[in-house]
Amino acid sequence: KDLTKDYFDGGNVIHALKGANISVTKGEMVAIMGPSGSGKSTLLYVLGLLHPPTSGAYLFKGKNILNYSREEQAVFRNRELGFVFQSCDLLPNSTVFENLELPLVYAESDRGLRRKKILEALDRVGLSHRVDHWSNRLSGGERQRAAIARALVNNPSLILGDEPTGQLDQKNTEIVVHQLQDLARQGFTVILVTH
């Protein structure tokens, strides 16, 4: 509600967000669209608690998340938010399992349940057969689907995607978009930035 984000460039102020308002409900899939430089990614990063806004409120399930301490925001981000970026950001010399295990380690998830959670997340994107595969040997579309699975592994309430199909060909773009639509139908809330 009324989110603003100002950046300072020398003596100049850049108003990246000017009183942005958005309301998204559970299970909804929303695309934030606009030309380069219009504040799409800034809004997404504010919603992901990666950049603090200059002013405004961020109500999540009725609570203003901006009032949380940094530590509380970090816990919230790990438990409630899943991120999918344009470049996948998978660890290249690690298996798919190891990439998906990382958020579970940060969440201090029970070690005995990790493989089950990882396989469930991979199954949602049709990649459970690649669990022990090296991430740098996956195709571009498989890497992005693995990144979506990583976003799902902690069963977040909200999935945030910054141009998640930006580096994919048409066929893989369609596959990833269908995966995200399926997640919204399953009750996940999805917000995507796209051109």
Side-chain angles (χ1 to χ4, degrees):
K1 181 174 173 64
D2 297 325
L3 289 172
T4 66
K5 179 64 178 175
D6 298 333
Y7 293 103
F8 298 93
D9 181 19
N12 299 323
V13 178
I14 299 166
H15 303 290
L17 292 179
K18 300 177 187 176
N21 290 287
I22 183 172
S23 178
V24 182
T25 60
K26 182 178 165 75
E28 193 172 4
M29 184 169 172
V30 174
I32 300 172
M33 299 169 60
S36 292
S38 63
K40 302 181 305 293
S41 292
T42 299
L43 177 58
L44 195 77
Y45 284 27
V46 167
L47 296 176
L49 300 175
L50 299 174
H51 293 174
T54 304
S55 65
Y58 178 9
L59 302 175
F60 195 99
K61 297 181 181 177
K63 295 180 181 173
N64 189 354
I65 307 307
L66 301 178
N67 292 335
Y68 286 15
S69 69
R70 285 181 99 175
E71 292 78 18
E72 290 169 327
Q73 285 186 7
V75 169
F76 171 85
R77 190 171 34 248
N78 185 267
R79 291 188 180 151
E80 297 285 353
L81 306 178
F83 296 92
V84 183
F85 297 103
Q86 182 175 358
S87 60
C88 304
D89 293 327
L90 297 177
L91 301 172
N93 296 315
S94 301
T95 65
V96 171
F97 179 89
E98 291 165 337
N99 271 277
L100 269 70
E101 186 179 33
L102 203 55
L104 294 170
V105 170
Y106 286 130
E108 299 178 357
S109 177
D110 180 84
R111 188 177 191 124
L113 294 176
R114 288 182 196 165
R115 188 163 186 90
K116 179 179 182 286
K117 288 181 176 185
I118 289 168
L119 288 172
E120 285 173 358
L122 287 170
D123 193 48
R124 281 195 157 122
V125 298
L127 275 184
S128 54
H129 64 290
R130 295 284 198 215
V131 66
D132 295 316
H133 210 74
W134 291 102
S135 62
N136 57 350
R137 294 189 182 155
L138 298 173
S139 71
E142 287 175 327
R143 279 196 305 274
Q144 196 60 291
R145 286 162 48 212
I148 292 170
R150 184 183 55 197
L152 294 173
V153 78
N154 276 330
N155 201 30
S157 300
L158 176 60
I159 297 167
L160 301 167
D162 191 10
E163 297 280 355
T165 61
Q167 295 184 1
L168 300 178
D169 59 29
Q170 184 64 33
K171 179 183 175 191
N172 281 306
T173 293
E174 290 174 9
I175 290 169
V176 168
V177 169
H178 288 311
Q179 293 288 337
L180 293 168
Q181 289 170 331
D182 284 345
L183 293 174
R185 282 190 282 275
Q186 293 171 36
F188 290 94
T189 305
V190 181
I191 300 177
L192 305 175
V193 161
T194 181
H195 289 294

